[in-house]
Structures are given as C-alpha cells and as structure tokens.
C-alpha cells in the first residue's frame, strides 16, 4: 500500500490549523489567601482594574472581579460562594467586564445581583447583556426634567413633586415608612402600564431580610404590579460583594428600557409599546456603603471618616448619575432614582446621609415623631424638598399646591404657641384649624395610591377653605364622599379636569359648584 506524501502533508496541515484555532491563551494566577468574599491572587501581572476573573475550584467555576492592583498580588472580590475556593486554586483572567442579562424576560422576576433567577420560576430566556458599571450619559445626551413621575401619595405629589429623570432621596430612621413610599410609587405606575407613558420599576433590595423582600414581592403581586417590576435581591445573608454590586446591576437592567426609546417601533410580547421610562428604587444605600466599607477594609484600603474608604462618595455618585432624562435625539427615555438612606436617631448630618443628599435633587424626610403620632406618610414638610419637580408638576396641581406648603408650615409654628395655652386671636386660630385639617387630609392608607385628578380635587377643596367648618374627625369621610360624588353625579366635571390637568376660570367655577353641592348634602 502506497502512502502519498501530499495526503500526509494535507492531514498534518489540517491538524496544525485545528490546533491553532482551539488553542486558548489565558493568563493564570494562584489564590494566596481567601475569606469573607475577598481573595488575594499571586500572578495575573496583566490584569485590568474591574476585570472579570474565573476561579477554578473542585466544585466548578466561581466568578470574581479585580479590585486592587498591587506590586506582586491582585486583590479580588468573589461573586458567589467563596467557601468553595481554596488556597492554591487556579485563577484565570477573562478579559471581560461584569455583565448582567437584561430585557423583557426579566419583568415579573426576582433575581440575584448577577441576574440569576431566585424565584423558582425557571431560567430567564434572554440573549441580551449590559455592562454593570458604566459611565453615565454626558450633558449633551440629556435634557431638563419636565414630565411628572406620579407617586400617588398626596403629600409628595403636591409639595415634593418628582419628575421623570430625577433623583429623590427617601431618608429617615428605621420603621418610619420609607419602603412603603417606594412600594406605593411602584403600585401607582399600574395606571400607565400598556400606554406610551408606561414605566418599568426595578426594586433593588440591599441587606434586607429575605422575609421582608418576600413580603414586598407578595404586596406587589396582589396589587398586580409584578408584571412591570424586576426585583433584584442581595439579602442580609449575601456576601458583601453581592450587596455592593446589586444597585449597579439593577441600574443596568433599567438602562435597557431607557435606551429602547431610540428604537420607537419596539413592542413587548403582548403587543404593548416597549417602555422607555424606568424607576429604580435602592433599598437601601446605607447598607451598600457598609458592604463597600467591609470589602475595602479587607482589601487593606485606608479608612477615612467613620472608617469608610475615601471613595465612598464616588460609590454613590457614579450610581445616581446614571439616572437621567435623555434628549429627544436619544429617544427621550428616562431613569428616575429613589435611593433610600437609613438614619440613626434622625442624624441627617452623618457621613453617608450628607453624601447622598449632596448627590440627589432633593429629599423626602420621614420623621419618627410624626409617624408615631399617626401622621402617615410621616413626611416632614420643612426639611423635605424637591429641586426640580415643580417644573414637572401637573399644571392644576402646581396652581393649587403653592399655598399648601406655606399653610402647613405656618400651622406647625403656631402649634407650639397653642401648646403653651396662649390665647390666640381669631385669624391665628383659623390658620391653626386649617393646618390641622390639612394634616388630616394628607393622611393616606398604605398601598392605596391616589390618581392625580383625585389629589387635585381633595387639595383644591382644602386650600379653598371648603373644609374649614367640617370637624377634623370627619375630614377623611368628607374626602371619600366628595371623590365618590365627583366620579358619580359630577362625572362630566371630573372627566374634563382629568383630560385637561389644568384649571381655567370656567372649569374652576364648575368644580367649586360641584364641591359646594356635595358639601350642602354632607352637612345635612
């Protein structure tokens, strides 16, 4: 049997070509020490800051990320079970940055900070990924905030309005209703779902008990809000790196929808237009800062004030700067951020609270004294402020709510005099009484958001003095009856107000007549 030399040559050539294509060149290092979600690695001399690493363990691969670049070693954080990693294990650099799955498939799901499902509903079928930690859009890519983002909470929408693309901090001690405001806001977006104003909500839980997060998910499910919500959970039992990365992952998921405005023809699986507005709630960032401090100290980064590392401001600024209202050329999408910060004994001047206050466009301050005295939501009107929302407020609300804040603040001051038993003149007494009625009017049950037209009618009746002679204990009953009357007998006036969202002289007269008719019947 003759063997032709050209055949041998072609076989060898083919083998060499296949060998070349299958050969993978990767830089490898070895684990020197590991513990508490941190690994120190010898080798990896060409590793980049923020590069994704793959730890080869006896039980399979675990992912990590480069954090510190030192002379001989690399400090890395571990995303996953660091207990699987042993000293001497091999580590491979991937040349990639951390990414998470994004897209419509995540709606209605509960995921971990890496986008893996944790709700027992099977795998998430998406082929799209986005980088977790990116640079925020520049000034040229943005436009001023001008669209309202309705929370459904009367005291917020009237006095501390939030616009789409704004960053509004929710701050207060524990157990003062911070999460409740965020959940109410998510539930209130149901009225827009399926329309061009639809808003996807991303609830990022950092360091919360799993039972608390399960309660929030159940509340949203009962309200029918999970269909447009993504829950990202890094619970209190999760390692510090997972708690650190969770808010960035949630923002990446939101950015997918924000940038979808550049492709206006896109639709959801049910045929509805693809939402280009997103709401991100970070509950809460003080726990993320603590997780970051833990990682930094373990990596031997120098501690500064309150033992936080010097770049803890950058931690939150690079996150919250990603909330924006994009320009029309970029599709006019938006991300609205509601970061939550927990204070200790009402100390707003602590390190992390002051940092986040200086980054955001205003804050909603919840006061324990108000909460325990039955004023819920316990919004302190004096300290709470919105630096942009007024320009994004519904015209009718802007017109009537201006005097509301002043009346409430004046009544709060007079309350101190009244407690001293001082004799008050009639005008002062009248102002104090009106303030008490306003406090009662602004009270609201949990998970019962008001549509903006209902809010306008209630606050209009209050500011025009319609309720001045109604007993304080009957204010809530009067409001319920008035809204039922407006949606029943006075429906034409209600519909006109709902359509215009503005009060001209003619409509105002119609509204006042309808309210007066109801009041006459109510008093009888």
């Amino acid at each position: 049997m003759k063997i032709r030399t050209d055949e041998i040559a072609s076989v060898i050539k083919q083998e060499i070509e296949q060998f070349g294509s299958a050969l993978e060149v990767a830089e490898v290092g070895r684990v020197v020490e590991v513990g508490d979600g941190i690994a120190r690695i010898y080798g990896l001399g060409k590793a980049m800051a923020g590069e994704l690493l793959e730890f080869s363990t006896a039980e399979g691969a675990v992912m990590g990320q480069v954090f510190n670049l030192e002379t001989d070693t690399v400090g890395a954080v571990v995303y996953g079970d660091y207990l699987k990693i042993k000293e001497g294990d091999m580590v491979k650099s991937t040349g990639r940055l951390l990414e998470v799955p994004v897209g419509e498939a995540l709606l209605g799901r509960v995921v971990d900070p890496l986008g893996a499902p944790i709700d027992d509903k099977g795998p998430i079928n998406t082929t799209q990924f986005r980088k977790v930690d990116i640079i925020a859009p520049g000034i040229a890519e943005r436009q001023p905030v001008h669209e309202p983002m309705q929370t459904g909470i009367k005291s917020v929408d009237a006095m501390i309005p939030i616009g789409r693309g704004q960053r509004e901090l929710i701050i207060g001690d524990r157990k003062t209703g911070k999460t409740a405001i965020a959940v109410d806001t998510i539930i209130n977006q149901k009225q827009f779902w399926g329309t061009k104003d639809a808003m996807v909500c991303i609830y990022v839980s950092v360091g919360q008990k799993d039972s608390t997060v399960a309660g929030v998910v159940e509340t949203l499910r009962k309200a029918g809000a999970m269909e447009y919500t993504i829950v990202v959970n890094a619970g209190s039992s999760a390692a510090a790196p997972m708690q650190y990365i969770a808010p960035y992952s949630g923002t990446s998921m939101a950015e997918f929808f924000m940038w979808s405005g550049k492709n206006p023809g896109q639709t959801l699986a049910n045929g509805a237009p693809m939402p280009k507005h997103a709401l991100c709630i970070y509950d809460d960032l003080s726990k993320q800062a603590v997780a970051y401090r833990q990682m930094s100290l373990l990596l031997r980064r120098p501690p500064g004030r309150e033992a936080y590392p010097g770049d803890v401001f950058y931690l939150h600024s690079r996150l919250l700067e990603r909330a924006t209202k994009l320009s029309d050329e970029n599709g006019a999408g938006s991300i609205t951020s509601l970061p939550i910060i927990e204070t200790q004994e009402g100390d707003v001047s602590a390190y992390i609270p002051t940092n986040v206050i200086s980054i955001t466009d205003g804050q909603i301050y919840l006061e324990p004294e108000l909460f325990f005295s039955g004023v819920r939501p316990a919004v302190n009107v004096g300290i709470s402020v919105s630096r942009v929302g007024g320009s994004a407020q519904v015209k009718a609300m802007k017109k009537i709510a201006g005097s509301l804040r002043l009346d409430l603040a004046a009544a709060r001051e007079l309350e101190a005099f009244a407690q001293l038993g001082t004799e008050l003149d009639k005008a002062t007494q009248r102002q104090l009484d009106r303030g008490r009625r306003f406090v009662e009017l602004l009270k609201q049950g949990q998970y019962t958001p008001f549509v903006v037209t209902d809010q306008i009618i209630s606050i209009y009746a209050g500011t025009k003095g319609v309720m001045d002679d109604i007993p304080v204990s009957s204010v809530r009953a009067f409001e319920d009856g008035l809204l039922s009357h407006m949606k029943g007998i006075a429906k034409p006036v209600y519909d006109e107000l709902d359509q215009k969202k503005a009060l001209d002289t003619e409509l105002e007269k119609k509204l006042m007549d309808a309210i007066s008719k109801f009041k006459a019947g109510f008093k009888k």
Side-chain angles (χ1 to χ4, degrees), residues 155-156 159-162 166-171 357 360-366 379-390 405:
S155 53
V156 174
M159 294 180 289
I160 320 149
I162 303 168
Q166 190 174 337
R167 300 155 299 179
E168 184 78 10
L169 172 63
I170 301 171
I171 187 167
I357 284 171
T360 50
D361 308 310
Q363 68 276 345
I364 298 166
Y365 179 65
L366 302 176
V379 178
N380 178 320
V381 184
I383 299 178
S384 301
V385 64
S386 170
R387 300 193 186 103
V388 228
R405 182 190 277 270

Side-chain angles (χ1 to χ4, degrees), residues 12 126 162 229 292 324 329 363 368-369 375 386 503:
I12 293 170
T126 182
I162 303 168
T229 304
Y292 186 65
T324 181
E329 298 79 52
Q363 68 276 345
E369 286 76 20
V375 179
S386 170
L503 279 171

